[in-house]
């Protein structure tokens, strides 16, 4: 259901020629079900026992660029200046996303990621609307098409051929840079394992495929979060508590 080689793509532009440096660090997706119990499956698919109830969903982006602090702390500022605290988002850490709570579920993912970064002595990430759009579109497509079966590449849409790089570029992230880099992590789960907490825990504390290195990267500074209701693995189709997550990370020098 996922490629095993995580990929971080780094690009540099110079005065006369364009140099492209590729560092493979794009993260594999994880699948969690309510049945198996922490048993690694084929092709980078991880199956974990169900924990808590609920699932995760959707993806509407907050408008503009958002600075998100560590979980349990202060406020997130959106383009309108309204403050949304991670203490509020904490109520959605173990909640399945639905049409009315998608924004808060996405916020919960980011608060949990930033909490892990702060524990590691790193700065919180800056929410970026272009990365939000790229991550959101991919999460929605994955939950709808359900191609994240064992052995599939979770980062490439089989219908459109879109990749993290093409989606992020199309969304308008970091145009005409001196240098830039990006990375993507994906996760899907069901039966209570499709929650923000389950996704972030898998990336940081369970996966050995490079997810932790991406989430805790000291050089990636920007982030966009996508989430969709339902599992992206056909094995979880129709199951309760299903959720699909995509997080796009970036660094832009202009």
């Amino acid at each position: 259901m996922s490629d095993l080689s995580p990929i971080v793509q780094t690009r540099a532009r110079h005065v006369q020629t364009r140099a492209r440096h590729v560092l493979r660090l794009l993260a594999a997706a994880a699948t969690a079900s309510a049945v198996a119990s922490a048993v690694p499956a084929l092709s980078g698919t991880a199956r974990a026992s169900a924990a808590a109830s609920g699932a995760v969903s959707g993806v509407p982006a907050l408008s503009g660029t958002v600075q998100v602090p560590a979980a349990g702390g202060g406020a997130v500022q959106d383009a309108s200046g309204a403050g949304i605290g991670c203490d509020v988002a904490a109520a959605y850490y173990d909640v399945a996303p639905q049409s009315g709570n998608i924004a808060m579920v996405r916020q919960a993912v980011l608060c949990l990621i930033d909490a892990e970064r702060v524990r590691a002595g790193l700065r919180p990430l800056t929410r970026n609307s272009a990365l939000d759009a790229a991550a959101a579109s991919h999460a929605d497509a994955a939950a709808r098409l359900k191609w994240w079966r064992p052995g599939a590449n979770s980062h490439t849409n089989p219908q459109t051929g879109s990749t993290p790089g093409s989606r992020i570029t199309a969304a308008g992230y970091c145009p005409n840079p001196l240098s830039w880099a990006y990375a993507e992590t994906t996760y899907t789960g069901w039966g209570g394992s499709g929650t923000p907490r389950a996704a972030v825990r898998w990336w940081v504390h369970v996966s050995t495929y490079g997810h932790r290195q991406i989430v805790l990267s000291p050089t990636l500074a920007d982030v966009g979060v996508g989430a969709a209701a339902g599992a992206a693995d056909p094995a979880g189709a129709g199951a309760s508590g299903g959720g699909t997550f995509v997080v796009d990370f970036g660094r832009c020098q202009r």
Side-chain angles (χ1 to χ4, degrees), residues 1-231:
M1 172 258 303
S2 61
D3 57 30
L4 280 190
S5 57
I7 303 168
V8 162
Q9 190 115 4
T10 305
R11 295 182 182 177
R13 285 192 180 180
H14 301 288
V15 178
Q16 295 183 338
T17 93
R18 254 198 282 188
R20 183 176 291 185
H21 307 290
V22 178
L23 182 93
R24 298 263 168 201
L25 245 183
L26 223 180
T31 304
S33 77
V35 182
S37 163
V39 179
L42 298 176
S43 299
T45 299
R47 294 188 179 273
S49 58
S53 61
V56 58
S57 85
V59 200
L62 295 174
S63 54
T65 299
V66 181
Q67 182 76 34
V68 182
V76 176
Q77 293 297 316
D78 65 14
S80 68
I84 305 172
C86 284
D87 51 347
V88 175
Y92 296 84
Y93 288 174
D94 301 299
V95 173
Q98 313 213 351
S99 59
N101 70 4
I102 302 248
M104 294 309 298
V105 167
R106 293 174 69 199
Q107 182 98 348
V109 173
L110 188 48
C111 287
L112 286 164
I113 285 174
D114 276 340
E116 294 288 353
R117 289 178 62 85
V118 169
R119 286 189 198 100
L122 300 170
R123 294 175 60 86
L125 297 165
T126 298
R127 190 84 171 260
N128 180 278
S129 59
L131 293 178
D132 262 346
S137 67
H138 193 53
D140 283 343
R144 183 177 71 254
L145 299 176
K146 301 189 184 307
W147 80 85
W148 293 6
R149 56 177 53 83
N153 180 348
S154 65
H155 302 288
T156 300
N157 185 314
Q159 196 171 80
T160 66
S162 75
T163 64
S166 69
R167 290 187 294 272
I168 289 169
T169 301
Y173 178 70
C174 199
N176 302 313
L178 292 174
S179 69
W180 70 297
Y182 63 82
E184 180 173 272
T185 62
T186 60
Y187 174 95
T188 191
W190 61 92
S193 293
T195 66
R197 194 190 304 274
V200 176
R201 179 182 178 279
W202 197 87
W203 290 327
V204 177
H205 299 290
V206 178
S207 168
T208 59
Y209 301 125
H211 299 79
R212 178 181 175 87
Q213 288 79 2
I214 291 173
V215 173
L216 301 183
S217 169
T219 59
L220 295 171
D222 301 324
V223 69
V225 181

